[in-house]
Amino acid sequence: MSDALQKTITLLLLIALGLLLKSKFKNKDQTNGIKEIILSVALPSTIFISLMKIDIDSSMFVIPLVTLIFNFLMFFSAPLAFALFGIEKNSPTGRTLMMLIPSLAPGLSCFPFIAEFLGEKSLAIAALADVGNKFFVLISLYILAMNMFLKNSDDKDTKMGGKLKSLFASMFQEPINLLIFIAIILLSLGINYNSLPPLIVDIFDKTSAMMTPLVLLFIGLAVQLKEGKKRIVACILFFRAGITMLISAGMIYVLNITDQNMVLLSIVIPLSAASFWPLAHISAFNLREDAKGMAKEKRTFDLELAVLLLAFSLPFSTILILAILSSGSFFAHTSTLITAGLVLICLGAVPNALSKVFVKVSKASS
């Protein structure tokens, strides 16, 4: 058995263990507690170690900008889904998808597998890439949500400046971002991981060791199969993954990326699950509309759809990322990537096309 296959089976078994333990975690707060340990302790420690162990040069600071450009390319590509699935852009469904499709959450769905398959240097680059994504999901998507809300409800009382200020503050209070900032300062002063006191190194090593098993257990615990708009959610996720692969192929070609690890990073980071932050923005504006007693069909966003898409997005992205990383160099070619992207888009579009055909046939027969 190859090392990659053995590693993949081990990771999948840990996810299966999480599924088996679901009955023991009936309280949502218990699952959220594990998530908080991952995001506040294990993941920040892993990223800090990765950053402190590599030589960062000024050219690496273009990485967040490239990710930010990718976010906007995904944002402008999202309306293509509406044409395929018959979704109105200015409907609650359309506005919700405009928020969620371009967002990324690499922390839970991507970083553990990058660490396992591609190593610490690749994880450090991925952490820098997420800085650009954080600006997009926290700032750009909040402004977008605010604009959608104001257009839909004619609410002129909202003060955007204060909200943006609090968002900037919360972004820099997150442990991951704080440790990235500290690591960059230490490296600029010539201090690397081996220069730190042994006690500090030991603490970071031990907390970092928790990350992969905890993340995989959490994925198994968090998988939800709620009733609702499951077909449209599945179709959107296939479409999102397909468009992501096509954009990644384009960026790899334009930027002339040839290193295999960098190519794989360019593929798997954009395939990360949808971010929680758009849901947070959506929930905030939904509460305002609750207070006004606004009818569900007239609201700015579809909160139920947002929750369902997030629930399916994590396991969906995990499977895709695992498949790509465990396949070695198979996906490290733009031709393969373009083909895979087109196949995924077709898989997303076919169910909706078939349903339209069945409707026409049933009408004709009646």
Side-chain angles (χ1 to χ4, degrees):
M1 186 184 295
S2 68
D3 289 342
L5 181 59
Q6 184 174 326
K7 190 175 291 185
T8 302
I9 292 172
T10 302
L11 299 179
L12 289 173
L13 287 175
L14 282 169
I15 295 173
L17 180 59
L19 285 166
L20 291 173
L21 291 172
K22 278 177 76 73
S23 60
K24 302 287 184 182
F25 289 80
K26 294 179 181 178
N27 189 336
K28 192 177 179 182
D29 290 338
Q30 293 175 311
T31 308
N32 286 338
I34 295 175
K35 180 182 176 182
E36 194 59 41
I37 291 171
I38 294 166
L39 295 178
S40 298
V41 181
L43 186 56
S45 293
T46 305
I47 288 171
F48 180 78
I49 292 170
S50 301
L51 285 171
M52 291 295 290
K53 283 186 175 180
I54 67 166
D55 297 322
I56 294 182
D57 56 66
S58 57
S59 64
M60 293 183 74
F61 290 99
V62 76
I63 293 170
L65 178 61
V66 172
T67 312
L68 190 60
I69 291 169
F70 170 83
N71 288 128
F72 278 107
L73 288 173
M74 281 296 290
F75 173 75
F76 290 116
S77 300
L80 295 174
F82 305 154
L84 280 176
F85 306 123
I87 297 168
E88 169 117 21
K89 184 178 178 180
N90 290 320
S91 65
T93 298
R95 289 188 285 262
T96 301
L97 293 177
M98 286 294 290
M99 292 285 289
L100 285 164
I101 286 175
S103 69
L104 302 175
L108 288 173
S109 58
C110 186
F111 285 175
F113 309 113
I114 289 173
E116 289 292 325
F117 286 91
L118 302 181
E120 291 178 339
K121 182 176 181 179
S122 295
L123 181 61
I125 293 170
L128 287 175
D130 191 37
V131 173
N133 172 62
K134 285 282 177 61
F135 272 98
F136 180 79
V137 296
L138 286 171
I139 309 303
S140 302
L141 286 185
Y142 180 80
I143 294 171
L144 175 69
M146 176 77 76
N147 186 49
M148 289 176 174
F149 172 75
L150 292 175
K151 282 184 177 179
N152 189 58
S153 63
D154 296 324
D155 188 339
K156 306 298 182 186
D157 299 328
T158 304
K159 293 182 179 179
M160 191 180 294
K163 291 289 185 180
L164 290 177
K165 186 178 178 181
S166 67
L167 277 172
F168 272 114
S170 67
M171 186 169 71
F172 287 106
Q173 286 169 3
E174 282 189 39
I176 292 175
N177 298 332
L178 189 60
L179 282 178
I180 289 174
F181 184 64
I182 291 170
I184 290 170
I185 290 175
L186 291 174
L187 288 169
S188 66
L189 295 173
I191 301 170
N192 59 28
Y193 197 62
N194 295 327
S195 307
L196 296 174
L199 180 63
I200 301 296
V201 170
D202 199 35
I203 289 171
F204 275 105
D205 284 342
K206 284 182 167 52
T207 51
S208 171
M210 299 188 296
M211 185 186 71
T212 300
L214 275 181
V215 167
L216 296 170
L217 287 171
F218 173 77
I219 290 170
L221 291 168
V223 171
Q224 298 291 334
L225 297 173
K226 294 180 180 179
E227 293 299 323
K229 306 171 182 178
K230 288 189 284 190
R231 186 174 68 89
I232 187 64
V233 165
C235 291
I236 288 295
L237 288 175
F238 275 109
F239 169 84
R240 178 178 182 263
I243 287 291
T244 293
M245 285 187 169
L246 294 181
I247 293 175
S248 292
M251 295 186 84
I252 289 166
Y253 177 78
V254 169
L255 297 173
N256 195 27
I257 301 171
T258 55
D259 178 76
Q260 183 173 310
N261 277 14
M262 286 299 294
V263 170
L264 290 173
L265 278 179
S266 303
I267 299 167
V268 299
I269 293 173
L271 283 172
S272 299
S275 173
F276 167 79
W277 280 105
L279 177 63
H281 302 328
I282 288 169
S283 299
F285 291 113
N286 194 65
L287 284 173
R288 291 192 185 190
E289 292 170 339
D290 271 341
K292 293 180 179 180
M294 189 179 288
K296 187 177 178 181
E297 61 275 6
K298 292 183 179 180
R299 297 199 175 195
T300 309
F301 302 106
D302 186 338
L303 185 61
E304 179 188 336
L305 175 64
V307 171
L308 195 63
L309 193 143
L310 281 177
F312 278 86
S313 179
L314 182 59
F316 183 86
S317 291
T318 300
I319 291 167
L320 276 179
I321 290 167
L322 261 177
I324 289 167
L325 291 177
S326 62
S327 67
S329 62
F330 180 76
F331 284 92
H333 306 282
T334 51
S335 57
T336 306
L337 204 52
I338 290 168
T339 303
L342 292 173
V343 168
L344 287 169
I345 290 171
C346 289
L347 287 174
V350 164
N352 187 62
L354 287 176
S355 66
K356 286 182 178 180
V357 170
F358 287 140
V359 168
K360 287 182 179 179
V361 169
S362 61
K363 282 183 179 180
S365 61
S366 61

